[in-house]
Structure formats: structure tokens, C-alpha cells
Amino acid sequence: GSAYVNAFVFRVGKNYYSWFRETHLLTELRRTHGTDARYHFLVDAEWKADIFAGDVLVELYVKNPKYKDDDGKGRKALCKKVNPWTEPLTVAITRRKARGKPWLVDEAEIAELAASMRDKGAPLIAAGSA
């Protein structure tokens, strides 16, 4: 009984926070920095990229040696390994002690990411189309 309910609630919460983190980053890239950043479920599933803008891929994850970490030894494939034709940008969040709220990418990191995306040729949103 309750062990299954707890496991279900944990997974739903974890997925919600992941979605919230990606949506927050996508929104900030678009609204604050004018980057034509997008999401598509097939790009996520096949290329392991959470966000893309033109040919620029962005991978967002919370570092965890079991699942995904900088060394690529976790269970999930790194975007760079799946896409040897490009050099994806990575936003790896270090696990935090705060529980019960999403671990979001901070404003300074988002600004740095937006600049890196522009440097790699990411398109900007055309005036009036945001």
C-alpha cells in the first residue's frame, strides 16, 4: 500500500520539478534574453537536449552520479555522446539541501547561457513575435 503511494508521489513530484525547471529556463531565455529557444519532445527523447535554438542544443540536469553527471558514467546518456556532430551547452545543477521546492537555474547562469547560445549562432526572436 503506502510504499507504492510514496514512490508514486515521489516520481510525480520529481517530474513536476524537472518540468518546472525546464519551463523556467525556456521562459527566461525567451522573454528576458530574446533567444528563440524552443522545446520539442522528440528532441528531448532522441537527442537528449532539453532546449534548442536553431542548431544550438542545451542540456539541463541535476548532477547525480547514478543517473547523469559530467563524467558520463551515469545511467542516462549525455547529450554530447548522442550528438557527436555538435558541442551542446550544458547546465548542470549541483544538488542542494533545500527540499520541497524546485532547484532553478539562477539569473546569472541564465544570462551566461543566453550569451553562449548567441555566440554559437542561436537565433533571436523577431520583434513582435514573442
Side-chain angles (χ1 to χ4, degrees), residues 43-85:
V43 173
D44 193 351
E46 294 295 320
W47 291 351
K48 309 306 179 200
D50 298 292
I51 293 172
F52 68 96
D55 291 335
V56 179
L57 303 178
V58 177
E59 179 178 30
L60 171 65
Y61 61 91
V62 175
K63 290 183 183 188
N64 183 328
K66 281 183 171 177
Y67 301 106
K68 190 180 269 193
D69 211 341
D70 302 335
D71 62 9
K73 292 181 183 175
R75 160 174 89 71
K76 294 186 175 187
L78 291 173
C79 185
K80 182 177 182 169
K81 242 183 189 172
V82 177
N83 304 287
W85 52 270

Side-chain angles (χ1 to χ4, degrees), residues 26-124:
L26 180 68
T27 302
E28 288 298 312
L29 287 169
R30 291 183 64 84
R31 298 293 294 176
T32 304
H33 299 281
T35 306
D36 191 11
R38 297 168 183 242
Y39 169 84
H40 193 284
F41 70 95
L42 286 177
V43 173
D44 193 351
E46 294 295 320
W47 291 351
K48 309 306 179 200
D50 298 292
I51 293 172
F52 68 96
D55 291 335
V56 179
L57 303 178
V58 177
E59 179 178 30
L60 171 65
Y61 61 91
V62 175
K63 290 183 183 188
N64 183 328
K66 281 183 171 177
Y67 301 106
K68 190 180 269 193
D69 211 341
D70 302 335
D71 62 9
K73 292 181 183 175
R75 160 174 89 71
K76 294 186 175 187
L78 291 173
C79 185
K80 182 177 182 169
K81 242 183 189 172
V82 177
N83 304 287
W85 52 270
T86 189
E87 188 66 34
L89 297 171
T90 301
V91 180
I93 298 174
T94 303
R95 295 174 75 187
R96 301 171 185 164
K97 292 187 184 214
R99 298 180 70 95
K101 62 181 180 176
W103 302 335
L104 302 177
V105 181
D106 67 37
E107 291 177 28
E109 286 178 287
I110 295 171
E112 187 177 314
L113 175 62
S116 294
M117 291 174 76
R118 281 191 305 276
D119 290 348
K120 286 180 145 286
L124 299 178

